[in-house]
Amino acid sequence: MAATRPTATLEDVARLAGVSRSTASRAIAGGSISRAAYDRVAAAVRQLGYVPNQAARALARRTGLRLVVATSGPSPEILDDPYLDRVVTAVARVCAEHDVGVAAAWLPLRPGRQLTRLVEDPGLGGVILINPTGWLVDVLATLLPGRVASIGVGNPAVPSFDVDNAAGTAALVQHLYAAGRRRMAMVTGPGWLPCAARPVREYGRLMRAAGLPVRLVVGDFSADRGRVAAGEVLRRWPDTDAVLGASDATALGVIAGLRDCGVRVPDDVGVTGFDDVPFAALAAPALTTARHPVTEIATAAAHAVLGRLPGPPEVLFPSPMVLRASA
Amino acid sequence: MAATRPTATLEDVARLAGVSRSTASRAIAGGSISRAAYDRVAAAVRQLGYVPNQAARALARRTGLRLVVATSGPSPEILDDPYLDRVVTAVARVCAEHDVGVAAAWLPLRPGRQLTRLVEDPGLGGVILINPTGWLVDVLATLLPGRVASIGVGNPAVPSFDVDNAAGTAALVQHLYAAGRRRMAMVTGPGWLPCAARPVREYGRLMRAAGLPVRLVVGDFSADRGRVAAGEVLRRWPDTDAVLGASDATALGVIAGLRDCGVRVPDDVGVTGFDDVPFAALAAPALTTARHPVTEIATAAAHAVLGRLPGPPEVLFPSPMVLRASA
DNA sequence: CTGTTAGCGCATTCAG
DNA sequence: CTGAATGCGCTAACAG
């Protein structure tokens, strides 16, 4: 740090290219500029190994250089979640390429101090919303125009990235049906989570279309809840021959709960999960599930807010089924 | 963003406190200042809800505002690891309180372009090294004095934070011994990883002290490798009655591999892991393991480099044993 | 399209 | 101990 020559500044680039600072700035940040000037600046940049000082840029532009991954939920504890860990890390890797950083924050379900503090923060470069409710997206869309992306529900002004869990659910249901299962129950995600509703709707739609019974038990994505829910399913509908878990953790819990009741998986009851976490393949029996491409989704969202890409307002990532032993 | 009053600036604080900007700056950043002036500035800060603009501060101070979690390893793929996800997220949460961000980067095992780019980056606020080799710590210690912390091996100038996996291993070995196991094998972590050597040493020490055989198979923390390693253990030492996995994933793989060979766990062979990942409790049999307090460690490391805390040069976090069914 | 002129908000000299 | 002045590196009007 001491011995290295000071990193080149825009001034140096301009001088070497024989243009003014502003021209160099335009060439780099992308303003209207002549082809000739652009080329000379580009050459100077390359020769000097120039890399813009993000702090200076943020200061002049009055726009922060920190992406915040904001998770909306009932309490801060929802931040303790492997799913979120993967999102934050994926975003951090994209950030590394853009010389910005990421921070993680919690947002309550209703507006409050946290929200105002977030949007008033001058260091804020953009926000990636995790599973936001509709009003939250709308509020942020107007407060931080062009600097918001959503992993979950979107909005005409906020690009959204999510897994096509309706299709994933459909694939799972069809597989179970093909395997002869006719009395399928579902252990859902938490009720306050918008994105958790989609699989439930799809499941309901398919059951009704096939003339099969709808059997819903509310879960919360956790294994503990899944374990308990398995008992509830069995008590209310003893002839159930399949259980769809809203997450792999739920499904693993369901399997444990079923085993507690002396039910065999997959012989008596088939069980499916959702996510395809690493341990899904190691479980006994190995879990049949649908993949949740978390990293790809988070990466796309990060690129969207960092690059201000227009792009389609909503992109759904496919959720391929992974066939294993549990169903 | 449009309607909100512009966030208070140092100028505003100074005016309200009736002092000059410099004095206000000193009061906040901590320079020599009179008690009276300090109090007035503090009051103004509180009243205005002033929060320093980190971009401006970084620019003036010539010191970045991004923490980089740098993972050293043979290839960038090592970034795809749930362990790292937890570290990055924990750091991101600490960063949120300090108005800075975090980015994730990979560093090759030998010096190279990646390293120079990292230390020359003017936006760099500090580095948290993950499992670095000795030379890497030394290099960064001199290049970025006072702005480095290590999760793994340290150095007199670089505070290190790690799990006391030697003690964790000892507890596991003693438990196995007390349960009557006498022929314990260990599936290790990757050889290039410094921190992976400690449990191996401790295991070797205890075996020799007890006059028991040392049975080592090299692993890589992965479940796949664990599964294969289980077969190797059985082939080389058929009378093995316990296997210590270097990680929970390894142990889960070992259990699967043992089962492939028709060996019962824990009846024939006891298996232990290390980490206590969420799924350890859900496995069948549930995994006996030693806890790895990743979040606490990462949080401490982040505080150390953000707060420039002197503190002890090395802190080892306890690794309590978690007794379950697998051993 | 280009150069000139002002700041962005803060830390730091340097006198007093 | 304090205030006035200077500059960090860059972008954004503004004329030309």
Side-chain angles (χ1 to χ4, degrees):
Chain A
M1 204 77 188
T4 47
R5 68 184 184 312
T7 57
T9 155
L10 187 57
E11 182 77 50
D12 302 327
V13 173
R15 196 176 321 128
L16 182 64
V19 298
S20 74
R21 267 216 318 270
S22 339
T23 302
S25 173
R26 290 188 195 98
I28 291 165
S32 29
I33 200 175
S34 72
R35 176 58 192 263
Y38 178 87
D39 287 341
R40 308 184 56 192
V41 172
V45 164
R46 218 166 318 118
Q47 183 177 336
L48 262 33
Y50 169 76
V51 34
N53 180 320
Q54 296 293 343
R57 175 175 282 184
L59 185 58
R61 239 180 210 167
R62 302 137 147 267
T63 167
L65 37 81
R66 219 169 65 245
L67 239 51
V68 173
V69 173
T71 309
S72 166
S75 74
E77 278 81 54
I78 54 160
L79 290 179
D80 301 317
D81 182 342
Y83 163 76
L84 189 62
D85 292 350
R86 293 178 61 189
V87 171
V88 172
T89 305
V91 173
R93 290 174 72 169
V94 175
C95 282
E97 304 166 3
H98 290 252
D99 289 334
V100 305
V102 57
W106 165 72
L107 246 33
L109 288 174
R110 309 233 149 273
R113 212 174 42 260
Q114 338 270 343
L115 216 198
T116 65
R117 223 182 37 191
L118 178 68
V119 302
E120 279 181 1
D121 177 359
L124 184 63
V127 175
I128 293 181
L129 255 16
I130 308 291
N131 291 329
T133 47
W135 71 260
L136 217 200
V137 178
D138 295 339
V139 168
L140 250 33
T142 67
L143 255 32
L144 268 23
R147 303 196 285 159
V148 185
S150 169
I151 295 183
V153 302
N155 154 320
V158 174
S160 90
F161 303 84
D162 208 346
V163 60
D164 190 354
N165 48 12
T169 300
L172 255 12
V173 166
Q174 276 151 24
H175 165 69
L176 290 170
Y177 190 91
R181 316 276 181 180
R182 290 295 180 275
R183 317 203 167 282
M184 317 178 196
M186 173 176 262
V187 179
T188 73
W192 52 267
L193 224 179
C195 78
R198 217 158 31 194
V200 177
R201 271 201 306 275
E202 182 68 9
Y203 157 83
R205 200 179 64 71
L206 291 169
M207 290 301 104
R208 279 188 293 277
L212 298 180
V214 171
R215 301 176 168 182
L216 289 172
V217 171
V218 177
D220 60 5
F221 286 153
S222 79
D224 285 346
R225 178 68 194 119
R227 189 164 196 158
V228 174
E232 294 181 24
V233 168
L234 252 27
R235 197 169 329 113
R236 294 172 61 181
W237 308 290
D239 63 344
T240 296
D241 60 10
V243 180
L244 294 129
S247 70
D248 282 356
T250 298
L252 259 12
V254 166
I255 290 177
L258 254 23
R259 191 177 295 137
D260 293 343
C261 299
V263 171
R264 294 169 307 167
V265 177
D267 311 74
D268 301 327
V269 175
V271 177
T272 63
F274 192 87
D275 279 343
D276 194 23
V277 298
F279 284 97
L282 290 174
L287 199 60
T288 289
T289 188
R291 210 167 94 72
H292 187 166
V294 179
T295 302
E296 288 85 337
I297 293 173
T299 301
H303 276 130
V305 16
L306 246 26
R308 311 258 177 122
L309 309 176
E314 178 179 26
V315 19
L316 284 180
F317 288 69
S319 176
M321 179 169 69
V322 182
L323 213 53
R324 287 196 272 250
S326 71
Chain B
M1 202 82 186
T4 48
R5 69 181 182 313
T7 57
T9 155
L10 188 56
E11 181 76 50
D12 302 327
V13 173
R15 196 175 321 126
L16 183 63
V19 298
S20 73
R21 269 215 317 270
S22 342
T23 303
S25 175
R26 291 189 195 98
I28 290 165
S32 33
I33 200 174
S34 71
R35 177 58 193 262
Y38 178 87
D39 288 342
R40 307 183 56 190
V41 172
V45 165
R46 217 163 323 116
Q47 183 175 337
L48 260 34
Y50 169 76
V51 35
N53 180 320
Q54 297 292 343
R57 174 174 282 184
L59 185 58
R61 237 181 212 166
R62 314 143 134 242
T63 167
L65 36 73
R66 217 169 67 246
L67 239 50
V68 173
V69 173
T71 308
S72 166
S75 74
E77 280 79 54
I78 54 161
L79 289 178
D80 300 318
D81 182 342
Y83 163 75
L84 189 63
D85 292 350
R86 292 178 62 188
V87 172
V88 172
T89 305
V91 173
R93 290 172 72 169
V94 176
C95 282
E97 303 166 3
H98 291 250
D99 289 334
V100 305
V102 58
W106 165 72
L107 247 32
L109 289 175
R110 310 230 148 276
R113 210 174 44 262
Q114 338 270 344
L115 217 196
T116 66
R117 220 180 41 187
L118 177 68
V119 302
E120 280 182 357
D121 177 358
L124 183 62
V127 176
I128 293 180
L129 255 17
I130 309 291
N131 290 329
T133 48
W135 72 261
L136 217 201
V137 177
D138 295 340
V139 168
L140 250 34
T142 68
L143 255 33
L144 267 24
R147 302 196 285 159
V148 185
S150 169
I151 295 183
V153 302
N155 155 320
V158 174
S160 89
F161 303 84
D162 209 347
V163 61
D164 190 354
N165 48 11
T169 301
L172 256 12
V173 166
Q174 277 151 23
H175 166 68
L176 290 170
Y177 190 91
R181 316 278 183 180
R182 290 295 180 273
R183 318 201 167 283
M184 316 178 196
M186 173 177 263
V187 179
T188 74
W192 53 267
L193 224 178
C195 78
R198 215 157 34 194
V200 177
R201 270 202 306 275
E202 182 68 7
Y203 157 82
R205 200 178 66 70
L206 292 170
M207 290 301 104
R208 278 187 294 277
L212 298 180
V214 171
R215 303 175 167 181
L216 289 172
V217 171
V218 176
D220 62 4
F221 286 154
S222 78
D224 286 346
R225 178 69 194 119
R227 189 165 196 158
V228 175
E232 294 181 26
V233 167
L234 252 26
R235 197 168 328 111
R236 293 173 62 183
W237 309 289
D239 64 344
T240 296
D241 61 9
V243 180
L244 293 129
S247 71
D248 282 355
T250 298
L252 260 10
V254 165
I255 291 176
L258 254 23
R259 191 178 295 135
D260 294 342
C261 300
V263 170
R264 294 170 307 167
V265 177
D267 311 73
D268 302 326
V269 176
V271 177
T272 63
F274 193 88
D275 279 343
D276 195 23
V277 298
F279 284 97
L282 289 175
L287 199 60
T288 288
T289 189
R291 211 167 92 73
H292 187 166
V294 180
T295 301
E296 288 85 339
I297 293 174
T299 301
H303 276 130
V305 17
L306 246 26
R308 309 263 177 116
L309 309 177
E314 178 179 25
V315 19
L316 284 180
F317 288 69
S319 175
M321 179 168 70
V322 182
L323 213 52
R324 287 197 270 251
S326 71

